[in-house]
Coordinates of all heavy atoms in Angstrom, one line a residue:
W8 N -14.7 37.7 118.0 CA -15.3 36.5 118.1 C -16.7 36.8 118.8 O -16.7 37.6 119.7 CB -14.5 35.5 119.1 CG -13.3 35.0 118.4 CD1 -12.1 35.5 118.4 CD2 -13.2 33.8 117.6 NE1 -11.2 34.6 117.7 CE2 -11.9 33.6 117.1 CE3 -14.1 32.9 117.1 CZ2 -11.5 32.5 116.4 CZ3 -13.8 31.8 116.3 CH2 -12.5 31.7 115.9
F9 N -17.7 36.2 118.3 CA -19.1 36.2 118.9 C -19.6 34.8 119.1 O -19.0 33.8 118.6 CB -20.0 36.9 117.9 CG -19.7 38.3 117.7 CD1 -18.6 38.8 117.0 CD2 -20.5 39.4 118.3 CE1 -18.2 40.1 116.8 CE2 -20.1 40.7 118.2 CZ -19.0 41.1 117.4
R10 N -20.6 34.6 119.9 CA -21.2 33.3 120.0 C -22.6 33.3 120.2 O -23.2 34.4 120.4 CB -20.6 32.6 121.3 CG -21.1 33.2 122.6 CD -20.4 32.6 123.8 NE -20.9 33.0 125.1 CZ -20.4 32.6 126.2 NH1 -19.3 31.8 126.3 NH2 -20.9 33.0 127.3
Q11 N -23.3 32.2 119.8 CA -24.7 32.0 119.9 C -25.1 30.8 120.5 O -24.8 29.7 119.9 CB -25.4 32.2 118.5 CG -26.9 32.3 118.6 CD -27.5 32.8 117.3 OE1 -27.0 32.8 116.3 NE2 -28.8 33.3 117.5
A12 N -25.7 30.8 121.6 CA -26.1 29.5 122.3 C -27.5 29.2 121.9 O -28.2 30.0 121.3 CB -26.1 29.8 123.8
P13 N -27.9 27.9 122.0 CA -29.2 27.5 121.5 C -30.3 28.3 122.2 O -30.3 28.4 123.4 CB -29.3 26.0 122.0 CG -27.8 25.6 122.0 CD -27.1 26.7 122.5
G14 N -31.2 28.9 121.3 CA -32.4 29.6 121.8 C -32.0 31.0 122.3 O -32.9 31.6 122.9
K15 N -30.8 31.4 122.1 CA -30.4 32.7 122.6 C -29.9 33.6 121.4 O -29.5 33.1 120.3 CB -29.3 32.6 123.6 CG -29.7 32.0 125.0 CD -28.6 32.1 126.0 CE -29.1 31.4 127.3 NZ -28.1 31.6 128.4
E16 N -29.8 34.9 121.6 CA -29.2 35.8 120.6 C -27.7 35.7 120.6 O -27.1 35.4 121.6 CB -29.7 37.2 120.9 CG -31.1 37.4 120.7 CD -31.6 38.9 120.9 OE1 -30.7 39.7 121.3 OE2 -32.8 39.2 120.7
R17 N -27.2 36.1 119.5 CA -25.8 36.2 119.3 C -25.2 37.2 120.3 O -25.8 38.3 120.5 CB -25.4 36.6 117.9 CG -23.9 36.5 117.6 CD -23.6 37.0 116.2 NE -24.1 38.3 116.0 CZ -24.3 38.8 114.9 NH1 -24.2 38.2 113.7 NH2 -24.7 40.2 114.7
E18 N -24.0 37.0 120.9 CA -23.4 37.9 121.8 C -21.9 38.1 121.5 O -21.3 37.1 121.1 CB -23.6 37.5 123.3 CG -23.0 36.2 123.6 CD -23.4 35.7 125.0 OE1 -24.0 36.5 125.8 OE2 -23.0 34.6 125.5
F19 N -21.5 39.2 121.9 CA -20.0 39.5 121.7 C -19.2 38.8 122.7 O -19.6 38.6 123.9 CB -19.9 41.0 121.9 CG -18.5 41.5 122.2 CD1 -17.6 41.6 121.2 CD2 -18.0 41.8 123.4 CE1 -16.2 42.0 121.4 CE2 -16.8 42.2 123.7 CZ -15.9 42.3 122.7
V20 N -18.0 38.4 122.2 CA -17.0 37.6 123.2 C -15.8 38.4 123.3 O -15.4 38.7 124.4 CB -16.8 36.2 122.6 CG1 -15.7 35.6 123.4 CG2 -18.0 35.4 122.6
A21 N -15.2 38.8 122.2 CA -13.9 39.4 122.3 C -13.6 40.0 120.8 O -14.1 39.7 119.9 CB -12.8 38.5 122.6
V22 N -12.8 41.2 121.0 CA -12.3 41.8 119.7 C -10.9 42.3 119.9 O -10.4 42.5 121.0 CB -13.3 43.1 119.5 CG1 -13.1 44.1 120.5 CG2 -13.0 43.6 118.0
I23 N -10.2 42.3 118.7 CA -8.8 42.7 118.7 C -8.6 43.7 117.5 O -9.1 43.4 116.4 CB -7.9 41.5 118.6 CG1 -6.4 41.9 118.8 CG2 -8.1 40.7 117.4 CD1 -5.5 40.7 119.0
G24 N -7.9 44.8 117.8 CA -7.6 45.8 116.8 C -6.6 45.3 115.7 O -6.1 44.2 115.8
R25 N -6.4 46.1 114.8 CA -5.6 45.8 113.6 C -4.2 45.4 113.9 O -3.6 44.4 113.3 CB -5.6 46.9 112.6 CG -7.0 47.1 112.0 CD -7.1 48.5 111.4 NE -8.5 48.8 110.9 CZ -9.5 49.0 111.6 NH1 -9.4 49.1 112.9 NH2 -10.7 49.2 111.0
S26 N -3.6 46.1 114.9 CA -2.2 45.8 115.2 C -2.0 44.8 116.4 O -0.9 44.2 116.6 CB -1.5 47.1 115.7 OG -2.2 47.6 116.9
G27 N -3.2 44.5 117.0 CA -3.2 43.6 118.1 C -3.0 44.3 119.4 O -3.1 43.6 120.5
N28 N -2.8 45.6 119.4 CA -2.6 46.3 120.7 C -3.8 46.6 121.5 O -3.8 46.7 122.7 CB -1.8 47.6 120.4 CG -0.3 47.3 120.0 OD1 0.2 46.3 120.3 ND2 0.1 48.2 119.2
N29 N -4.9 46.7 120.8 CA -6.2 47.1 121.5 C -7.1 45.8 121.5 O -7.3 45.2 120.4 CB -6.9 48.2 120.6 CG -6.2 49.5 120.7 OD1 -5.6 49.8 121.8 ND2 -6.2 50.2 119.7
I30 N -7.5 45.5 122.6 CA -8.4 44.3 122.9 C -9.5 44.6 123.9 O -9.3 45.4 124.8 CB -7.5 43.2 123.4 CG1 -6.5 42.6 122.3 CG2 -8.3 42.0 124.0 CD1 -5.5 41.6 122.9
D31 N -10.6 44.0 123.6 CA -11.8 44.2 124.6 C -12.4 42.7 124.8 O -12.5 42.0 123.7 CB -12.8 45.2 124.2 CG -13.7 45.6 125.3 OD1 -13.4 45.2 126.4 OD2 -14.5 46.4 125.0
Y32 N -13.0 42.5 125.9 CA -13.7 41.3 126.2 C -15.0 41.5 126.8 O -15.2 42.5 127.5 CB -12.8 40.4 127.2 CG -11.5 39.9 126.7 CD1 -10.3 40.5 127.0 CD2 -11.4 38.7 125.9 CE1 -9.1 40.1 126.6 CE2 -10.2 38.3 125.4 CZ -9.0 39.0 125.8 OH -7.8 38.5 125.4
A33 N -15.9 40.5 126.6 CA -17.1 40.5 127.4 C -16.8 40.2 128.8 O -15.9 39.5 129.1 CB -18.1 39.5 126.8
D34 N -17.6 40.7 129.7 CA -17.2 40.5 131.2 C -17.2 39.0 131.5 O -16.5 38.6 132.3 CB -18.3 41.3 132.0 CG -18.1 42.8 132.0 OD1 -16.9 43.2 131.6 OD2 -19.0 43.5 132.4
F35 N -18.1 38.2 130.9 CA -18.3 36.8 131.3 C -17.1 36.0 130.8 O -17.0 34.8 131.2 CB -19.6 36.3 130.8 CG -19.8 36.4 129.3 CD1 -19.2 35.6 128.4 CD2 -20.7 37.4 128.8 CE1 -19.4 35.6 127.0 CE2 -20.9 37.4 127.5 CZ -20.3 36.6 126.6
V36 N -16.2 36.5 130.1 CA -15.0 35.7 129.6 C -13.7 36.2 130.2 O -12.6 35.7 129.9 CB -14.9 35.5 128.1 CG1 -16.2 34.8 127.7 CG2 -14.6 36.8 127.4
K37 N -13.7 37.4 130.7 CA -12.4 38.0 131.2 C -11.8 37.2 132.2 O -12.4 36.6 133.1 CB -12.8 39.4 131.8 CG -13.0 40.5 130.8 CD -13.3 41.8 131.6 CE -13.7 42.9 130.5 NZ -14.0 44.3 131.1
G38 N -10.5 37.0 131.9 CA -9.7 36.1 132.9 C -9.6 34.6 132.4 O -8.9 33.8 132.9
R39 N -10.6 34.2 131.5 CA -10.7 32.9 131.0 C -10.3 32.7 129.5 O -9.7 31.8 129.2 CB -12.1 32.3 131.2 CG -12.5 32.3 132.7 CD -13.8 31.5 132.8 NE -14.9 32.1 132.0 CZ -15.7 31.4 131.2 NH1 -15.4 30.1 131.0 NH2 -16.7 32.0 130.5
F40 N -10.7 33.7 128.7 CA -10.5 33.7 127.3 C -9.4 34.7 126.9 O -9.3 35.7 127.5 CB -11.7 34.0 126.5 CG -12.8 32.9 126.7 CD1 -12.8 31.9 127.5 CD2 -14.0 33.0 125.7 CE1 -13.8 30.9 127.6 CE2 -15.0 32.1 125.9 CZ -14.9 31.1 126.8
T41 N -8.6 34.4 125.9 CA -7.7 35.3 125.4 C -7.7 35.3 123.8 O -7.6 34.3 123.2 CB -6.2 34.8 125.7 OG1 -6.1 34.7 127.2 CG2 -5.2 35.8 125.2
I42 N -7.9 36.5 123.3 CA -7.9 36.7 121.8 C -6.5 37.1 121.4 O -5.9 37.9 122.1 CB -9.0 37.7 121.4 CG1 -9.1 37.7 119.8 CG2 -8.7 39.0 122.0 CD1 -10.3 38.5 119.4
S43 N -6.1 36.6 120.2 CA -4.7 37.1 119.7 C -4.8 36.9 118.2 O -5.7 36.3 117.6 CB -3.6 36.2 120.3 OG -3.8 34.9 119.9
R44 N -3.9 37.5 117.6 CA -3.8 37.4 116.1 C -2.4 37.3 115.6 O -1.4 37.9 116.3 CB -4.5 38.6 115.5 CG -3.8 40.0 115.7 CD -4.7 41.1 115.2 NE -4.8 41.2 113.8 CZ -5.8 41.8 113.0 NH1 -6.7 42.5 113.7 NH2 -5.8 41.7 111.7
D45 N -2.2 36.6 114.6 CA -0.9 36.5 113.9 C -1.0 37.1 112.5 O -1.5 36.4 111.6 CB -0.5 35.0 113.9 CG 0.9 34.8 113.4 OD1 1.5 35.7 112.6 OD2 1.5 33.8 113.7

């Protein structure tokens, strides 16, 4: 997931690997956002 706010560049939010075991977040969403896959 990425996001782009008005007037700003697109930025990374979260990524999840193929199996769902590897995940990474942008610092500004850690503890608030959760990425998952089914």
Side-chain angles (χ1 to χ4, degrees):
W8 290 94
F9 294 74
R10 71 185 187 185
Q11 187 167 19
K15 296 186 177 181
E16 294 185 352
R17 185 183 65 199
E18 61 184 355
F19 165 77
V20 175
V22 65
I23 186 167
R25 293 160 183 77
S26 67
N28 292 331
N29 294 323
I30 290 173
D31 198 6
Y32 296 99
D34 287 342
F35 55 79
V36 302
K37 285 182 179 177
R39 299 190 299 127
F40 292 10
T41 302
I42 188 171
S43 63
R44 64 190 293 160
D45 186 334

